[in-house]
Amino acid sequence: MMTVNENFPRIVKLLQGLKGLNEGEAKAFFKICSKKSVSVKDVLDIFTELGIDVGRTKAYGIVEKYRHEGLIFPIDSKSNANRFKAIHPKTLLNQLNADMGKLDEDIAHLSESYETSDFEDKDPKALSKILKSEGEILTTCNVLCQNDGELIVVSKGEPKLKHFYDALSGIGNKTIKGDINAVLFKKSSGDEKGVIDLTKRYNKDGKLRIFGNIMYDSEKYDYIFGKEVRKSG
């Protein structure tokens, strides 16, 4: 029988964020998925296999946490010990999707109260600003959208930047492949336009970093729009 690999980083993060598990509890849950059923002692043994010392009393608490979060359910057993079975992975997916839906609602409410910086309140035509991290670039794009902005993401399609452009595409109204890396933005009314030029470089540790330079410049917007967006159809 195929066993469940405990190294699913995306699911680990979701179980931590949406179900309140720590990393060890998430990996132990994957082990439980590969077993027909488990007792508290079996769960304790799983943690021991993972090199995590929890103790029997804490193991009971962890099993109760799994039950509370709907990750396991009790089954009838001929043995004296209570036994439990993990929910099916597809059931887990449905649970996480439902939790993500609730998270979307919370994020929407939080966005309404998000305090934007003074940068958005001043005369945009006189301003430019360096965006020093991916987080700052993505936050700026979200703020622009929140403030009635329309975004077009232009990407060279470089594989090393895929994770970043995937995040950007979730914000922008349109993503196209072009000869530059940039984000075009404008108010829906059309009276404010600008460009975020995107550059990449490696730091001393060899890690790729992305920087941005945001400029409110209608002429530059129109030039890039004509050169990159119109030709893409």
Side-chain angles (χ1 to χ4, degrees):
M1 182 179 67
M2 183 181 294
T3 59
V4 179
N5 187 338
E6 66 268 28
N7 296 310
F8 292 114
R10 287 184 291 272
I11 304 178
V12 167
K13 288 180 180 178
L14 286 172
L15 288 173
Q16 288 179 270
L18 297 174
K19 294 296 186 181
L21 306 186
N22 60 36
E23 184 177 357
E25 290 166 348
K27 290 185 176 182
F29 173 71
F30 298 149
K31 293 282 190 181
I32 294 172
C33 284
S34 67
K35 298 183 181 296
K36 192 170 183 179
S37 67
V38 294
S39 65
V40 172
K41 184 182 181 303
D42 294 328
V43 172
L44 181 58
D45 290 342
I46 287 172
F47 276 91
T48 301
E49 290 174 17
L50 292 172
I52 304 172
D53 183 17
V54 295
R56 191 171 184 85
T57 301
K58 190 171 182 180
Y60 275 101
I62 292 169
V63 169
E64 184 55 36
K65 180 190 283 189
Y66 288 148
R67 284 191 63 181
H68 181 266
E69 294 299 335
L71 297 173
I72 62 173
F73 56 90
I75 59 172
D76 292 332
S77 171
K78 295 180 181 178
S79 69
N80 293 327
N82 293 328
R83 300 197 68 82
F84 306 89
K85 185 169 181 60
I87 61 173
H88 191 279
K90 290 293 182 66
T91 304
L92 174 62
L93 175 63
N94 291 337
Q95 280 194 12
L96 295 176
N97 282 335
D99 287 341
M100 285 296 292
K102 296 174 185 175
L103 184 61
D104 284 342
E105 294 177 9
D106 291 342
I107 290 296
H109 290 306
L110 186 60
S111 295
E112 292 174 2
S113 63
Y114 188 83
E115 187 68 28
T116 58
S117 67
D118 292 341
F119 178 69
E120 287 79 31
D121 299 327
K122 299 176 183 177
D123 178 12
K125 298 180 180 62
L127 289 175
S128 67
K129 182 182 179 182
I130 301 297
L131 307 175
K132 299 178 181 179
S133 68
E134 291 185 20
E136 189 173 6
I137 296 168
L138 294 171
T139 294
T140 298
C141 289
N142 273 300
V143 169
L144 288 167
C145 280
Q146 186 175 331
N147 292 341
D148 199 30
E150 297 176 356
L151 271 60
I152 301 174
V153 179
V154 184
S155 165
K156 292 181 180 179
E158 298 164 276
K160 288 184 177 180
L161 301 182
K162 184 178 183 304
H163 73 284
F164 174 69
Y165 281 103
D166 284 347
L168 267 181
S169 65
I171 302 171
N173 303 99
K174 184 177 182 180
T175 301
I176 65 168
K177 188 171 182 180
D179 296 325
I180 62 172
N181 292 320
V183 179
L184 307 182
F185 62 90
K186 69 173 182 177
K187 289 277 190 177
S188 58
S189 60
D191 57 352
E192 292 179 4
K193 300 178 182 177
V195 178
I196 302 176
D197 287 319
L198 301 171
T199 58
K200 64 181 188 297
R201 73 181 70 159
Y202 290 91
N203 61 17
K204 293 180 181 179
D205 298 325
K207 185 176 180 181
L208 185 66
R209 294 188 61 194
I210 301 172
F211 298 84
N213 182 28
I214 180 171
M215 293 170 287
Y216 281 85
D217 187 327
S218 295
E219 291 183 2
K220 185 169 185 177
Y221 176 99
D222 291 339
Y223 173 77
I224 295 176
F225 186 90
K227 185 178 179 183
E228 300 289 344
V229 180
R230 282 207 180 99
K231 76 174 185 180
S232 73

